[in-house]
């Protein structure tokens, strides 16, 4: 049926015919196809005719064996070519793999060296400033480089060493000559670049540290200069305030000038606080150029300001009482001391409670309605009365109403005609607690009573001329 010859061809060259599509009943067609394909594509001469095989009851054995032998020789030659092709193909694959590995090695070495050199160039172009924030930023950037970029490069260098070893091992396996990378891409070139990178890292780190030290020293110098300048201003104001003399108007003008000189200190303190914040950020705990802290100078400034305000009020008060010639200096001093005693907040004014306590302590007692009307009149409807209003009222009150005899009579009434008065006697009167506290503090102790006070001696001291 011709299928045997077709099967031989299909086994070795399945591309020449489709064995499974043949029709077993078409013996002549199958035989003719086998002879034609063998002659045209395999170079096997057609030694037999279709009839010699299909129509003969017993084909000639020698002729058939001779023809089949040509198939053996044709396919044997084909097998050798295939083997040679496979061997050459395998070699080509190996060489292509080695080439790819070598090319990959050189490309990666080139990229790594270029990246290393670019980083060094960037460091060389770095502009250093003796400003701590800038120097600290460079330090942080370098520290980040070491744990990110540098570690990535280190991993890549190790992988390249491994890759080069694999390339050489593979070439030895196939009896190939050792791989020699092109100049600029050799292990020596890579190691040289790596060594130079390490040296550049040391130089860059050293430069950063130097500028950090310089910037910290500048911060300390700036802080010291600002702190010392503030201290000098405050010391100068204090010295001038202590040396104040002359006419009251001149003194007051001088104090006003000192107050104006003290105002810029607040802005200087804010600058100093900002410098202190920068020093703290730079881990500066102690200062080499000053002994003054922000807290020290803020306290000193507050004390100087308070002293100036008190001095200004004192001069103003002295100006107010200067022309009060109808009273003795002792009386004026008593009135002023009473005002200062009850002006607890140092505002140089008295509210209604403070004013009434002052009057009580001086022996001037008013009913609630009388005091309310008086306070409203003196304060002109405001919430306080000034020292000048107070002192004028006290002068008028003393000149018109209050005499030593009247005060003596008041004390005798409260003391029950005794020559001394006790704190209990004072509490039994209508005096306020602040007034009682003031009198207890101002009056001398009685010589005849352990818990008594000598109001006669007190009045003699107040009203003596």
């Amino acid at each position: 049926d011709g299928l045997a010859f077709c099967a031989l061809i299909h086994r070795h060259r399945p591309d020449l015919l489709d064995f499974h599509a043949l029709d077993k009943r078409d013996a002549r067609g199958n035989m003719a196809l086998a002879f034609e394909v063998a002659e045209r594509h395999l170079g096997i001469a057609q030694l037999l005719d279709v009839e010699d095989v299909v129509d003969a009851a017993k084909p000639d054995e020698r002729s058939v064996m001779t023809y089949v032998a040509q198939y053996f020789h044709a396919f044997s030659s084909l097998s050798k070519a295939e083997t040679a092709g496979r061997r050459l193909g395998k070699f080509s694959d190996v060489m292509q793999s080695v080439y790819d590995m070598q090319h990959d090695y050189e490309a990666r070495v080139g990229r790594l060296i270029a990246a290393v050199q670019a980083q060094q160039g960037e460091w060389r172009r770095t502009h250093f400033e003796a400003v701590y924030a800038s120097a600290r930023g460079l330090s942080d950037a370098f520290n980040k480089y070491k744990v990110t970029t540098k570690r990535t490069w280190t991993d890549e260098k190790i992988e390249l060493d491994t890759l080069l070893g694999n390339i050489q091992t593979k070439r030895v396996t196939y009896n190939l000559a050792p791989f020699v990378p092109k100049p600029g891409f050799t292990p020596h070139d890579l190691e040289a670049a790596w060594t130079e990178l390490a040296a550049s890292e040391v130089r860059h780190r050293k430069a950063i540290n130097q500028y950090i030290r310089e910037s910290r020293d500048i911060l300390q110098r700036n802080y010291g200069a600002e702190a010392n300048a503030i201290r000098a201003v405050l010391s100068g104001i204090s010295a001038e305030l202590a040396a104040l003399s002359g006419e009251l108007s001149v003194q007051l003008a001088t104090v006003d000038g000192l107050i104006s000189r003290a105002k810029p200190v607040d802005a200087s303190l804010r600058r100093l606080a900002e410098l202190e914040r920068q020093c703290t950020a730079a881990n500066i705990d102690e200062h080499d150029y000053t002994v003054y802290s922000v807290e020290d100078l803020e306290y000193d400034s507050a004390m100087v300001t308070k002293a100036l305000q008190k001095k200004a009020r004192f001069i103003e008060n002295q100006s107010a009482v200067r022309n009060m010639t109808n009273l003795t200096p002792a009386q004026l001093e008593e009135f002023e001391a009473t005002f200062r005693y009850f002006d607890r907040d140092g505002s140089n004014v008295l509210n209604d409670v403070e004013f009434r306590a002052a009057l009580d302590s001086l022996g001037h007692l008013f009913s609630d309605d009388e005091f309310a009307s008086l306070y409203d009149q003196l304060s002109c409807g405001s919430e306080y009365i000034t020292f000048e209003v107070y002192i004028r009222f006290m002068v008028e009150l003393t000149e018109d109403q209050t005499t030593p005899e009247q005060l003596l009579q008041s004390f005798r009434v409260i003391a029950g005609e005794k020559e001394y008065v006790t704190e209990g006697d004072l509490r039994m009167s209508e005096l306020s607690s602040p007034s009682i506290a003031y009198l207890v503090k101002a009056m001398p102790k009685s010589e005849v009573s352990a818990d008594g006070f000598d109001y006669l001696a007190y009045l003699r001291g107040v009203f003596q001329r």
Side-chain angles (χ1 to χ4, degrees):
D1 56 14
L3 290 179
F5 287 113
C6 289
L8 281 176
I9 296 172
H10 182 268
R11 168 64 183 80
H12 295 279
R13 291 291 303 275
D15 56 306
L16 296 181
L17 57 81
D18 184 3
F19 178 81
H20 301 290
L22 299 177
D23 185 1
K24 182 179 181 179
R25 293 168 298 179
D26 185 12
R28 289 181 176 276
N30 295 336
M31 190 64 69
L33 176 62
F35 290 163
E36 180 185 359
V37 169
E39 186 173 25
R40 179 183 301 177
H41 296 286
L42 300 178
I44 299 175
Q46 186 176 338
L47 302 179
L48 300 174
D49 292 326
V50 173
E51 293 78 7
D52 294 337
V53 180
V54 175
D55 294 339
K58 183 179 180 182
D60 182 66
E61 185 174 342
R62 287 179 178 272
S63 297
V64 171
M65 290 183 65
T66 300
Y67 184 66
V68 171
Q70 292 187 75
Y71 277 83
F72 173 79
H73 293 300
F75 292 141
S76 176
S77 299
L78 180 62
S79 177
K80 291 179 180 178
E82 289 176 350
T83 301
R86 286 194 299 271
R87 182 178 293 113
L88 185 58
K90 183 177 180 181
F91 178 77
S92 297
D93 290 343
V94 169
M95 293 303 296
Q96 182 65 47
S97 172
V98 171
Y99 172 80
D100 291 342
M101 293 171 68
Q102 294 172 174
H103 179 74
D104 183 46
Y105 174 82
E106 291 180 341
R108 289 167 64 181
V109 168
R111 287 194 297 269
L112 181 55
I113 292 176
V116 166
Q117 292 173 343
Q119 181 64 73
Q120 295 175 72
E122 181 180 335
W123 287 340
R124 286 192 296 271
R125 293 188 298 271
T126 299
H127 176 66
F128 290 95
E129 294 180 312
V131 177
Y132 181 79
S134 175
R136 184 74 261 174
L138 290 173
S139 179
D140 293 342
F142 183 75
N143 291 335
K144 182 179 180 181
Y145 150 81
K146 290 196 300 180
V147 299
T148 54
T149 304
K150 179 63 180 295
R151 291 184 180 180
T152 301
W153 290 349
T154 300
D155 294 343
E156 176 68 355
K157 183 175 181 299
I158 293 174
E159 289 184 8
L160 285 171
D161 292 339
T162 302
L163 176 59
L164 179 61
N166 292 343
I167 292 172
Q168 303 296 24
T169 299
K170 199 164 191 177
R171 293 182 72 88
V172 168
T173 301
Y174 292 97
N175 297 315
L176 302 175
F179 169 57
V180 179
K182 291 181 292 186
F185 304 92
T186 66
H188 176 75
D189 296 326
L190 179 57
E191 195 59 39
W194 202 254
T195 301
E196 178 57 29
L197 175 64
S200 296
E201 289 173 343
V202 172
R203 290 193 295 270
H204 191 62
R205 176 79 269 178
K206 185 177 180 180
I208 291 173
N209 291 341
Q210 176 184 347
Y211 278 92
I212 286 179
R213 288 191 295 270
E214 291 181 4
S215 64
R216 294 181 66 184
D217 185 67
I218 290 175
L219 275 178
Q220 291 195 73
R221 288 179 182 273
N222 291 341
Y223 178 91
E226 189 73 38
N228 294 334
I230 293 173
R231 180 64 264 177
V233 170
L234 296 177
S235 297
I237 292 174
S238 298
E240 291 188 40
L241 185 62
L244 202 60
S245 63
E247 291 293 328
L248 292 179
S249 60
V250 176
Q251 291 189 36
L252 185 58
T254 302
V255 171
D256 288 340
L258 294 177
I259 290 174
S260 297
R261 282 173 53 188
K263 287 182 179 179
V265 171
D266 289 339
S268 298
L269 286 170
R270 288 193 293 271
R271 290 194 299 271
L272 188 67
E274 173 59 21
L275 288 172
E276 177 69 13
R277 186 195 64 77
Q278 295 178 20
C279 288
T280 301
N283 297 319
I284 299 174
D285 299 324
E286 300 294 336
H287 295 287
D288 297 336
Y289 302 99
T290 187
V291 296
Y292 304 113
S293 67
V294 175
E295 184 178 354
D296 293 338
L297 294 173
E298 286 177 341
Y299 177 81
D300 293 346
S301 177
M303 291 299 99
V304 169
T305 300
K306 185 177 180 180
L308 288 171
Q309 293 171 347
K310 289 179 66 176
K311 189 65 175 180
R313 288 195 297 268
F314 178 78
I315 296 172
E316 291 170 351
N317 293 348
Q318 292 302 304
S319 298
V321 303
R322 180 172 54 183
N323 297 322
M324 306 294 180
T325 57
N326 295 332
L327 299 178
T328 66
Q331 286 176 307
L332 292 175
E333 179 62 28
E334 178 70 12
F335 294 156
E336 185 177 356
T338 303
F339 183 91
R340 289 198 301 270
Y341 180 81
F342 290 102
D343 179 22
R344 297 300 177 84
D345 59 359
S347 60
N348 209 38
V349 296
L350 297 178
N351 59 32
D352 55 346
V353 176
E354 294 169 339
F355 181 50
R356 186 163 192 175
L359 293 177
D360 290 347
S361 70
L362 293 171
H364 302 294
L365 307 179
F366 296 88
S367 67
D368 290 343
D369 292 339
E370 289 174 337
F371 177 79
S373 176
L374 174 65
Y375 186 79
D376 185 62
Q377 177 186 352
L378 295 177
S379 65
C380 298
S382 68
E383 296 181 355
Y384 55 84
I385 61 172
T386 64
F387 176 80
E388 185 175 359
V389 171
Y390 160 81
I391 202 67
R392 290 188 182 279
F393 172 74
M394 293 307 302
V395 169
E396 293 173 2
L397 188 63
T398 302
E399 288 177 343
D400 296 341
Q401 300 176 8
T402 303
T403 64
E405 290 74 17
Q406 288 175 321
L407 289 174
L408 178 59
Q409 182 61 31
S410 297
F411 270 113
R412 282 176 175 169
V413 170
I414 293 174
E417 299 299 328
K418 300 190 299 291
E419 293 183 357
Y420 61 88
V421 66
T422 65
E423 185 174 349
D425 295 333
L426 295 174
R427 295 191 182 280
M428 293 296 291
S429 68
E430 295 184 5
L431 289 174
S432 64
S433 296
S435 298
I436 295 172
Y438 173 75
L439 289 173
V440 168
K441 180 180 179 182
M443 291 187 297
K445 286 284 189 177
S446 171
E447 295 181 357
V448 298
S449 175
D451 59 348
F453 298 91
D454 190 344
Y455 60 85
L456 292 173
Y458 170 69
L459 290 176
R460 282 195 298 271
V462 171
F463 289 103
Q464 68 180 4
R465 293 183 182 272

